[in-house]
Amino acid sequence: MNGAELLVLALENEGVQQIFGIPGEENLDFVDALRRSTIKLVLTRHEQAAAFMAATHGRLTGKAGVCLSTLGPGALNLATGAGYALLGAMPMIMITGQKGILSRKQARFQIVDIVSMMTPLTKMAHQITSTATIPSMVREAFRVAQQERPGPVHLELPEDIARTAAPAILPVPAHPIDHPVASHSGLERAAGLILNAKRPLIMLGAAASRPRLAEPLSDFVRRLQIPFFNTQMGKGSVAGGSGLYMGTAALSERDYVHWAIDEADLIIAIGHDTVEKPPFLMGPKGPVVLHIGYLPATVEEVYFPHAEVIGDVGQSLPLLADRVEGRLPEAGALLALRDKILARIADRAEESRYPLTPQRLVHDVRQAMPEDGIVCLDNGMYKIWFARNYRTHVANTLLLDNALATMGAGLPSAVMAALLNPGRRVLAVCGDGGFMMNAQELATAVGLGLDLVVLIVQDDAYGMIRWKQAVDGYPDFGMTFNNPDFVAYAAAYGATGSRVEGPDDLAPTLEKAFTRGGVQLVTVPVDYSENLRVLVDELGNQALMNRRN
Ligand SMILES: Cc1ncc(C[n+]2csc(CCOP(=O)(O)OP(=O)(O)O)c2C)c(N)n1
Ligand SMILES: [Mg+2]
């Protein structure tokens, strides 16, 4: 057995079923060991996409996804994916090759210091320098990647270590890890705050979307009957129509959901992670914030909780509910605002206009998606509209990145979601800018034989930046571009393309695309004048009126 075979054995021991990436010659022993293993090698067309796929595996399953690249250029291409997994708290292992470390037959050709590059982008980055350490290093890598707060880990395997004879060491078996449970005093303090609140509100943050939390969270909300809102990455974590959903905070202030936030005297923030664009801004005047998380909150200018319940969230929630359930006559105080908020959000959702308004676009996508369908967003202006307007009923059915907020992850994340959920509808929603950043992964999707629909929101521009430019009073400059013919582009990959050509055409076009199966590309033109009308004029005026009152 050589080092590469021992590494593959250790990965099998962790339950790894597929590795995404692009090998280089320094990985050939590793690839050969994969050939003789149970692990499938999924080739992508760019390492960045491989990292997005592996990270999404971690996000959706809690088990680290694995990606692979060569040294230098390939490893550098993983950097954005590392940042995505680090900020997004997604467990991922990145394995990269390197020239031999025991001699330097090619001098410095292709060598850059990848471990140093990865160090600030990961929870841990190591070069493997001895075959004997491989089993323990791999176990440690998965433990670190998967344990709260999850994130990426990098292992570099130099080609001579890969080829060196390895001692027959068994992989280190994984043992069950229980998270520490919240302290009695923390739970009592929290219960006291909740019992005293006159207008309590729950906020579900990014960590609330951990796959194992869906049930305890839903139970908690149902038992307390306190209304809740989400951050963008906390969307969909309460199952079913609870009647308690108050909205999603896609903006930091002044949106309709902030009517409730501004009225609340206690916000119970479950799993909030300050990597997200702030869902509300704390200031000297309140409200009181109770932070429930696996780890203490980082203290920020805009987030400095007054009390915390730290420990396994899945265990904290029932313990807390036991202390307050049935003793909260004011639990629903803020519910009076619910209808008003949701009605404002739904405004113009069914308006027939061509090009489509973002509201109509979100509405029609929801029509085409069953409750358990998964929508994976890239980054662009439409993300704000989906976060505000798209109602979710099942955990992790709207995947978006409000942490690194990188363009280019929409399609790769959807490829992973489709691979993991072959029976469910999966839709990638990308801008015409973001789609083109990893459009080559259409080839990966077609090669994998996936059923996947990609919706391109077309404005022939980097719309979000164009919008910011306008809002900040700059002249309209430099943000528009020419697009390829997306239908022909899809056909070139062996996928099928279609265009939405009328105001009422989107839902039926999506329906047709899902029914046909395979990889389907649908383009829809969008009218982004609503960005100014709603997100600036309407909400700006609203804020002024609120101030006058
Ligand atoms: C990799 C990367 N580059 C640049 C940005 C900055 N940025 C955020 S949104 C955006 C425009 C996105 O354009 P598009 O994908 O067409 O979506 P639209 O806003 O037009 O709907 C840009 C350039 C980013 N977030 N990520
Ligand atoms: Mg665009």
Side-chain angles (χ1 to χ4, degrees):
M1 181 173 314
N2 62 24
E5 289 165 324
L6 192 53
L7 177 54
V8 169
L9 201 67
L11 295 171
E12 282 180 322
N13 178 60
E14 296 293 336
V16 174
Q17 292 176 347
Q18 70 251 112
I19 295 183
F20 303 88
I22 305 176
E25 61 179 294
E26 291 69 24
N27 309 109
L28 285 177
D29 280 293
F30 182 77
V31 170
D32 197 54
L34 280 183
R35 178 178 65 81
R36 287 172 282 119
S37 77
T38 55
I39 301 174
K40 195 174 153 203
L41 175 63
V42 178
L43 285 186
T44 59
R45 297 312 182 94
H46 196 293
E47 292 86 351
Q48 185 187 94
F52 289 148
M53 290 174 199
T56 304
H57 182 283
R59 180 182 193 173
L60 288 176
T61 66
K63 309 208 78 182
V66 184
C67 56
L68 170 74
S69 82
T70 185
L71 76 178
L76 290 168
N77 277 348
L78 292 176
T80 305
Y84 174 76
L86 183 72
L87 290 195
M90 306 176 199
M92 168 168 78
I93 308 287
M94 293 173 285
I95 298 173
T96 63
Q98 187 52 284
K99 297 285 183 207
I101 50 175
L102 303 176
S103 65
R104 269 170 95 106
K105 297 243 181 317
Q106 294 191 356
R108 284 188 296 164
F109 177 59
Q110 284 196 304
I111 294 183
V112 287
D113 184 349
I114 295 300
V115 175
S116 293
M117 182 269 284
M118 285 293 188
T119 299
L121 296 174
T122 54
K123 291 179 77 180
M124 186 172 96
H126 280 310
Q127 183 180 64
I128 300 175
T129 53
S130 140
T131 52
T133 57
I134 288 174
S136 53
M137 251 183 163
V138 170
R139 180 76 278 274
E140 176 66 355
F142 278 80
R143 182 190 74 75
V144 169
Q146 287 168 189
Q147 217 161 354
E148 289 293 338
R149 182 181 181 271
V153 169
H154 168 234
L155 294 178
E156 180 180 74
L157 180 65
E159 63 179 343
D160 48 6
I161 304 298
R163 206 167 298 148
T164 302
I169 312 175
L170 287 178
V172 182
H175 62 277
I177 295 178
D178 294 317
H179 295 285
V181 177
S183 69
H184 178 81
S185 56
L187 287 163
E188 288 297 316
R189 196 178 301 125
L193 284 176
I194 298 174
L195 289 170
N196 278 329
K198 301 273 174 283
R199 295 174 308 281
L201 187 60
I202 291 173
M203 177 177 91
L204 304 176
S209 294
R210 300 283 193 273
R212 61 181 175 279
L213 269 188
E215 225 172 281
L217 250 177
S218 306
D219 282 350
F220 180 76
V221 171
R222 258 184 247 119
R223 285 176 70 184
L224 266 61
Q225 290 293 308
I226 294 177
F228 71 92
F229 71 103
N230 320 93
T231 67
Q232 295 192 44
M233 290 177 84
K235 222 172 151 72
S237 22
V238 167
S242 61
L244 297 167
Y245 171 71
M246 301 288 283
T248 299
L251 308 176
S252 297
E253 53 185 339
R254 299 182 187 184
D255 204 345
Y256 296 112
V257 68
H258 294 94
W259 287 348
I261 296 170
D262 294 347
E263 284 285 307
D265 64 345
L266 173 69
I267 293 185
I268 306 166
I270 304 177
H272 181 47
D273 192 330
T274 53
V275 293
E276 285 204 76
K277 187 190 281 184
F280 67 97
L281 305 173
M282 284 183 72
K285 280 203 262 154
V288 171
V289 173
L290 166 63
H291 176 86
I292 302 179
Y294 291 97
L295 299 173
T298 56
V299 175
E300 309 282 350
E301 270 173 70
V302 293
Y303 191 70
F304 43 89
H306 302 91
E308 298 191 294
V309 176
I310 303 307
D312 186 338
V313 177
Q315 302 223 32
S316 298
L317 294 177
L319 291 173
L320 197 50
D322 290 345
R323 286 167 163 81
V324 300
E325 187 179 13
R327 300 168 62 198
L328 300 171
E330 332 248 23
L334 291 175
L335 272 179
L337 294 170
R338 183 172 187 265
D339 287 348
K340 246 172 54 181
I341 293 173
L342 296 186
R344 293 302 314 168
I345 295 290
D347 185 35
R348 303 205 187 188
E350 293 177 66
E351 191 180 10
S352 261
R353 243 206 269 170
Y354 190 82
L356 276 74
T357 63
Q359 297 94 311
R360 177 71 194 268
L361 205 148
V362 175
H363 171 271
D364 283 16
V365 166
R366 184 67 275 187
Q367 299 236 302
M369 299 304 285
E371 281 211 343
D372 71 346
I374 304 173
V375 175
C376 301
L377 302 185
D378 205 275
N379 263 279
M381 197 63 217
Y382 53 87
K383 187 178 86 176
I384 293 183
W385 290 101
F386 270 88
R388 290 175 88 238
N389 294 35
Y390 190 80
R391 293 283 295 277
T392 51
H393 307 290
V394 175
N396 286 313
T397 48
L398 181 67
L399 291 191
L400 56 80
D401 166 22
N402 186 34
L404 186 63
T406 179
M407 293 162 75
L411 174 57
S413 66
V415 165
M416 191 67 243
L419 263 177
L420 285 170
N421 299 282
R424 289 163 70 175
R425 283 190 177 182
V426 177
L427 176 74
V429 179
C430 306
D432 41 10
F435 171 72
M436 291 297 283
M437 282 204 188
N438 270 318
Q440 77 286 345
E441 299 308 320
L442 276 182
T444 309
V446 170
L448 288 166
L450 295 179
D451 289 327
L452 176 66
V453 180
V454 182
L455 179 65
I456 300 179
V457 179
Q458 192 168 350
D459 66 339
D460 301 317
Y462 292 121
M464 179 155 206
I465 311 303
R466 194 181 194 192
W467 172 66
K468 282 266 163 74
Q469 194 177 42
V471 171
D472 293 346
Y474 295 100
D476 185 15
F477 171 75
M479 299 299 164
T480 56
F481 46 68
N482 294 322
N483 276 310
D485 174 341
F486 286 119
V487 173
Y489 187 84
Y493 282 91
T496 309
S498 33
R499 272 188 201 92
V500 170
E501 283 173 321
D504 304 316
D505 212 18
L506 175 58
T509 306
L510 287 175
E511 191 57 43
K512 232 181 277 163
F514 278 115
T515 313
R516 274 200 296 252
V519 178
Q520 301 278 333
L521 200 69
V522 176
T523 76
V524 58
V526 67
D527 176 358
Y528 269 154
S529 62
E530 287 294 278
N531 297 336
L532 273 179
R533 190 190 68 77
V534 177
L535 301 179
V536 178
D537 296 345
E538 190 177 300
L539 294 178
N541 288 338
Q542 196 57 55
L544 281 179
M545 269 160 53
N546 282 352
R547 246 178 264 143
R548 266 189 230 115
N549 291 339

